Amino acid sequence: REHHVTCGRDSFATDPKKQTMVSVSYLLSDITDTFETFTLNLLSSLLVGGPNSPFYKALIEAGLGTDFSPDVGFNGSTREAFFSVGLQGIAEENINTVKQIIARTIDKVTEDGFEEERIEALLHKIEIQMKHQSTSFGLALTSRGISLSVCLSSQKYVASCWNHDGNPVDLLKISEKVTRFRQCLKEDPQFLQKKVKQYLKENPHRLTLSMSPDETFYDKQAAMEAGKLKEKIEALSEEEKKQTYEKG
């Protein structure tokens, strides 16, 4: 599915011709499946985290846009998680180019996989950071939430999983998940590549959202608001108008 929306033009933009955004989102697994969520969380970090990641090299270094689109990466704040990737600050005519780059990058990762050193470095980082918890660790679980791997730029909250009848205790057994993840990689070196193929390359549940500025956007907004206000006023009785005036 593809959807296009408009927005107001940013008068302070560095390049007035580059104010378009495009993002592709893929529906993932149920967040109550904690190991699958942990795996997809890791996969997201490998795909978009840092200058050595495939999407950073393909999208950011291409110079087509100013930065990744908002909400890039894994998001587990809803019952069914999703992964998003795209660019903002691009020219409108480059929307299809960005979509093609995303598709090619997914194909390349499916074929070539990830460097073993990057995977191991990420797992090691998780293990180290889990040993260094702050005094506000418990409070953070229910307020800010803790990502499954602390530094995976995840928006997966313990509270979100809990709200959807997930097991919050199981969610925190990260050491067990790291061990299981290593075992999966040992048994199948293409474990992550198969996940990319399943959830990204062959996933029919995806949304491509693009947004570009419209010169008449603010005028349309003002006209719509004026129309709604007029409609509300006309629906009021004289007594209701009087009460509104006295309260106002």
Side-chain angles (χ1 to χ4, degrees):
R1 180 183 175 186
E2 296 195 11
H3 188 63
H4 181 78
V5 297
T6 58
C7 63
R9 185 172 295 280
D10 182 3
S11 58
F12 295 101
T14 305
D15 188 343
K17 296 181 180 179
K18 290 188 174 184
Q19 296 190 36
T20 295
M21 182 276 293
V22 61
S23 177
V24 183
S25 297
Y26 303 83
L27 189 67
L28 303 180
S29 64
D30 191 308
I31 60 172
T32 58
D33 185 343
T34 55
F35 179 70
E36 190 73 357
T37 302
F38 176 82
T39 299
L40 294 172
N41 199 342
L42 274 166
L43 182 60
S44 171
S45 186
L46 290 168
L47 286 169
V48 300
N52 291 322
S53 63
F55 278 118
Y56 186 97
K57 291 179 178 179
L59 292 173
I60 303 299
E61 292 184 0
L64 293 174
T66 56
D67 199 357
F68 280 127
S69 56
D71 204 25
V72 66
F74 177 90
N75 188 312
S77 59
T78 55
R79 177 65 184 251
E80 292 177 302
F82 61 90
F83 172 83
S84 299
V85 64
L87 273 181
Q88 60 182 320
I90 68 172
E92 189 168 1
E93 58 266 25
N94 286 331
I95 289 179
N96 285 330
T97 301
V98 173
K99 289 160 57 179
Q100 290 167 7
I101 291 175
I102 291 173
R104 286 201 303 268
T105 304
I106 291 173
D107 288 341
K108 188 174 187 302
V109 173
T110 303
E111 183 69 26
D112 300 338
F114 302 97
E115 299 90 340
E116 186 176 343
E117 294 78 10
R118 287 193 67 222
I119 299 173
E120 190 56 40
L122 192 56
L123 292 173
H124 183 65
K125 189 173 185 178
I126 296 170
E127 293 171 328
I128 293 297
Q129 294 218 3
M130 285 308 298
K131 295 177 182 179
H132 295 83
Q133 300 300 342
S134 67
T135 54
S136 62
F137 175 75
L139 181 62
L141 292 181
T142 53
S143 57
R144 276 189 304 110
I146 180 173
S147 68
L148 290 175
S149 54
V150 184
C151 286
L152 288 183
S153 61
S154 164
Q155 297 183 31
K156 170 71 178 68
Y157 300 145
V158 169
S160 179
C161 182
W162 200 353
N163 286 338
H164 293 292
D165 299 321
N167 187 339
V169 176
D170 184 50
L171 192 67
L172 297 174
K173 296 177 181 178
I174 298 179
S175 295
E176 293 181 11
K177 290 178 177 59
V178 171
T179 301
R180 182 178 169 185
F181 181 83
R182 290 185 190 277
Q183 185 61 31
C184 288
L185 280 180
K186 183 178 179 181
E187 293 174 357
D188 183 3
Q190 293 193 333
F191 175 67
L192 285 175
Q193 289 163 259
K194 289 178 180 178
K195 294 297 180 184
V196 173
K197 184 177 182 180
Q198 176 187 352
Y199 287 105
L200 302 184
K201 181 177 175 62
E202 298 180 349
N203 189 351
H205 305 289
R206 71 181 72 176
L207 169 67
T208 301
L209 177 65
S210 57
M211 182 174 69
S212 57
D214 179 0
E215 294 291 351
T216 62
F217 179 80
Y218 293 116
D219 292 335
K220 290 177 180 177
Q221 287 287 98
M224 182 177 66
E225 290 174 5
K228 286 185 177 181
L229 181 59
K230 182 180 179 182
E231 183 182 335
K232 294 290 185 182
I233 292 174
E234 290 176 348
L236 293 174
S237 65
E238 290 301 321
E239 182 61 26
E240 289 173 329
K241 291 179 181 179
K242 182 179 179 181
Q243 291 177 358
T244 302
Y245 176 78
E246 290 174 350
K247 290 180 181 179

